[in-house]
Amino acid sequence: MADSTPWIVAEQGSEVRKHAPATLRNRGAIAEVLRGVLPPGGLILEVASGSGEHVAYFAEEFPALDWQPTDPDPTALASIAAWSEGLANVRPAMMLDAAVAVWPVAQADAILCINMVHIAPWEATIGLMAGAARLLSSGAPLILYGPFRRAGVPTAESNEAFDQSLKSRDPRWGLRDVEAVLQAASGFALDSLIEMPANNLILVLRRR
């Protein structure tokens, strides 16, 4: 099934360091894909870093890269700081709402976005594509991870249940069609679509 217990700010307790159970299940598989996608050096911008567990793990797995975590929620920023404490290649977390037109980062060598597209209004995906187009140079990757729908491919029952659960939390949330995401990605071409465990996908888009 999809990662049905994502970290959501409003559903967590008072501890500064938050925990998303899905992270331990998916981080290794995601890292294996990233080894063939990320550049050998440079700055990796993570949009919607959530708890910060992913960026802390990837920073240790890819020590030659600099990592810039971001999130629109102050609670998340505090959790990211707690998880990344002592990691020299993780920059201080910055507040970033993907849906807004002005981002606090001017350039990146790759952009990574894990489990945001379905847990945010569609405007956040539109903003992500626009922001990535501004920041990335030709050939640089925008990497998306999460559950998606695909035309002609039956959606797993667990993903359908997850979709209904998301919409019950916020009607603006829900699984997105790969085709709609690609249509929104003006200035990008699909490099690869990779099947991942638990009925998730990685979409690697390259800046034209």
Side-chain angles (χ1 to χ4, degrees):
M1 62 182 295
D3 294 333
S4 57
T5 51
W7 184 76
I8 298 171
V9 173
E11 298 179 358
Q12 293 295 314
S14 59
E15 292 294 325
V16 172
R17 181 180 287 196
K18 308 301 182 185
H19 174 57
T23 305
L24 292 177
R25 297 194 298 268
N26 63 35
R27 64 185 188 180
I30 295 173
E32 286 306 306
V33 173
L34 294 180
R35 293 187 202 286
V37 176
L38 294 177
L43 176 66
I44 313 304
L45 171 64
E46 185 183 30
V47 175
S49 298
S51 66
E53 294 167 275
H54 276 123
V55 74
Y57 179 78
F58 296 147
E60 293 186 324
E61 289 290 304
F62 303 95
L65 294 168
D66 289 324
W67 294 83
Q68 177 61 71
T70 67
D71 203 273
D73 191 280
T75 305
L77 299 181
S79 181
I80 295 163
W83 279 105
S84 59
E85 184 177 0
L87 296 173
N89 60 330
V90 179
R91 298 184 180 185
M94 302 175 71
M95 183 169 290
L96 187 156
D97 180 349
V100 304
V102 179
W103 287 14
V105 182
Q107 180 274 336
D109 296 289
I111 295 178
L112 175 65
C113 186
I114 296 172
N115 283 335
M116 182 205 81
V117 170
H118 58 290
I119 314 179
W122 179 242
E123 290 75 16
T125 298
I126 298 295
L128 172 65
M129 299 306 177
R134 292 192 302 269
L135 268 61
L136 296 176
S137 300
S138 178
L142 166 62
I143 307 152
L144 309 179
Y145 170 90
F148 295 89
R149 288 194 170 97
R150 284 184 284 172
V153 179
T155 304
E157 290 185 9
S158 59
N159 276 10
E160 291 289 2
F162 185 31
D163 180 61
Q164 292 303 312
S165 173
L166 290 170
K167 289 175 178 175
S168 72
R169 292 167 171 164
D170 190 321
R172 301 173 299 169
W173 296 0
L175 272 63
R176 312 299 183 186
D177 295 335
V178 167
E179 294 76 17
V181 172
L182 297 180
Q183 186 173 8
S186 178
F188 287 87
L190 178 63
D191 178 81
S192 54
L193 184 154
I194 302 163
E195 300 271 2
M196 300 296 289
N199 298 312
N200 290 290
L201 298 174
I202 283 183
L203 306 181
V204 180
L205 310 178
R206 295 278 180 181
R207 187 74 170 92
R208 290 193 177 100

